[in-house]
């Protein structure tokens, strides 16, 4: 019985480590505008047409209205999800090199009110 308990404990520990390793800062959300990528709090993510791959051009007032989707210090790029270094040294999540942002006008999961703002903001889609 002791051996079985040790095996079960080992399996549970392995599953726990796998869950941590596979945890992501983003998810896919179903919204009235279709499926979009969402950040940790479930808020929709956007791209800025004035950005270029691997470079954010949204600072100061722009970043106040469109807060960057910042990565934690230990974040690692994976697949299409990359990291962009901002002017202040912080790291921002990017999708295929395009930096990602929240919109201050979205306050609840599923909100997509930033889509098309100024003709330069688009929902990040899977």
């Amino acid at each position: 019985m002791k051996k079985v308990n040790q095996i079960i404990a080992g399996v549970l520990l392995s599953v726990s480590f796998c869950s941590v390793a596979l945890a992501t800062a983003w998810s896919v959300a179903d919204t009235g505008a279709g499926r979009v990528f969402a950040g940790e709090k479930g808020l929709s993510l956007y791209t800025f047409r004035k950005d270029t791959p691997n470079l954010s051009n949204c600072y100061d007032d722009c970043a106040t209205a469109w807060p960057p989707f910042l990565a934690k210090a230990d974040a690692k790029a994976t697949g299409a999800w990359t990291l962009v270094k901002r002017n202040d040294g912080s790291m921002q999540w990017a999708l295929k090199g395009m930096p990602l942002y929240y919109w201050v006008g979205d306050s609840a999961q599923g909100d997509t009110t930033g889509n098309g703002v100024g003709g330069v903001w688009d929902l990040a889609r899977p």
Side-chain angles (χ1 to χ4, degrees):
M1 186 65 164
K2 186 175 181 182
K3 181 77 171 172
V4 170
N5 287 341
Q6 288 174 336
I7 291 171
I8 291 172
V11 169
L12 291 175
L13 187 59
S14 296
V15 169
S16 175
F17 282 127
C18 287
S19 296
V20 170
L22 296 176
T24 59
W26 60 88
S27 62
V28 175
D30 290 314
T31 71
R35 293 170 57 84
V36 303
F37 283 114
E40 290 179 89
K41 296 178 183 175
L43 295 177
S44 299
L45 294 170
Y46 298 87
T47 58
F48 183 38
R49 293 184 195 174
K50 293 184 179 183
D51 283 344
T52 56
N54 303 309
L55 179 67
S56 172
N57 288 309
C58 183
Y59 291 94
D60 303 318
D61 291 343
C62 177
T64 299
W66 298 90
F69 179 34
L70 296 176
K72 293 181 181 175
D74 61 347
K76 303 283 186 233
T78 178
W81 290 86
T82 57
L83 295 164
V84 172
K85 189 171 188 176
R86 294 184 57 78
N87 289 346
D88 65 1
S90 63
M91 298 302 287
Q92 179 176 1
W93 281 111
L95 183 61
K96 298 178 184 172
M98 296 305 291
L100 294 167
Y101 305 86
Y102 294 105
W103 165 237
V104 296
D106 289 347
S107 59
Q109 292 180 0
D111 284 354
T112 58
T113 63
N115 195 36
V117 168
V120 294
W121 291 96
D122 301 297
L123 286 163
R125 298 183 184 274

